[in-house]
Amino acid sequence: TRTQMTMLFIVVPGLASVMALSLWMLPLPKRIQYLLLLAAEFVTAWSCFEVWFISLAVALNALELVAAAILDDIAPCKTLSTKTGEVCFNIKGRLSDNAWWMIPVALSHRLSIVFVLTYGRSILMYQRKL
């Protein structure tokens, strides 16, 4: 549904970013840092921002091949294409010219959060040993 899509692709990635930024920038007590780290890892696991953009790009590029394979199995369409050279219908999917930036931004979003959480986890675990 629309609410689930909004949560997975907008709200949860935004919350993960805020949590990672808070962990990175704010001078919090150790216990709060640890709890925030756990919460940020949980929220990041549910973040589907980059997965959505990458799957969208792959789906749009593969759409023409899938449609051609489906139409190849339909007898009237096959007859039409062999006798006249025409196709029943053709689908071409592509990202708009200015949408190329979405994939690198989504990947850099994920990589920056993973970096902050990994770095934060290693520091907190080191401090617990002391």
Side-chain angles (χ1 to χ4, degrees):
T1 66
R2 181 178 293 168
T3 305
Q4 291 168 332
M5 298 280 284
T6 303
M7 290 296 292
L8 286 176
F9 303 132
I10 297 172
V11 174
V12 173
L15 185 60
S17 297
V18 168
M19 290 175 128
L21 195 61
S22 298
L23 188 64
W24 186 262
M25 303 280 292
L26 298 178
L28 301 169
K30 304 279 186 266
R31 178 165 169 71
I32 302 296
Q33 286 178 351
Y34 182 72
L35 293 174
L36 186 61
L37 176 69
L38 292 178
E41 286 178 341
F42 176 79
V43 168
T44 301
W46 284 96
S47 174
C48 299
F49 188 58
E50 72 286 344
V51 174
W52 184 72
F53 284 121
I54 292 170
S55 60
L56 176 70
V58 169
L60 286 175
N61 287 327
L63 193 59
E64 186 175 3
L65 294 171
V66 172
I70 291 171
L71 289 175
D72 195 37
D73 289 339
I74 299 174
C77 288
K78 195 172 190 175
T79 304
L80 178 68
S81 66
T82 55
K83 290 188 178 193
T84 64
E86 298 292 324
V87 293
C88 286
F89 69 91
N90 193 7
I91 298 175
K92 290 187 180 183
R94 67 178 185 87
L95 289 172
S96 64
D97 293 336
N98 60 355
W100 63 269
W101 57 269
M102 292 188 304
I103 294 171
V105 166
L107 289 174
S108 64
H109 173 262
R110 172 60 72 166
L111 291 175
S112 64
I113 288 178
V114 167
F115 171 76
V116 168
L117 294 182
T118 303
Y119 186 71
R121 187 181 319 110
S122 66
I123 288 176
L124 285 173
M125 292 307 137
Y126 176 75
Q127 289 175 349
R128 286 188 122 184
K129 289 180 184 177
L130 295 177

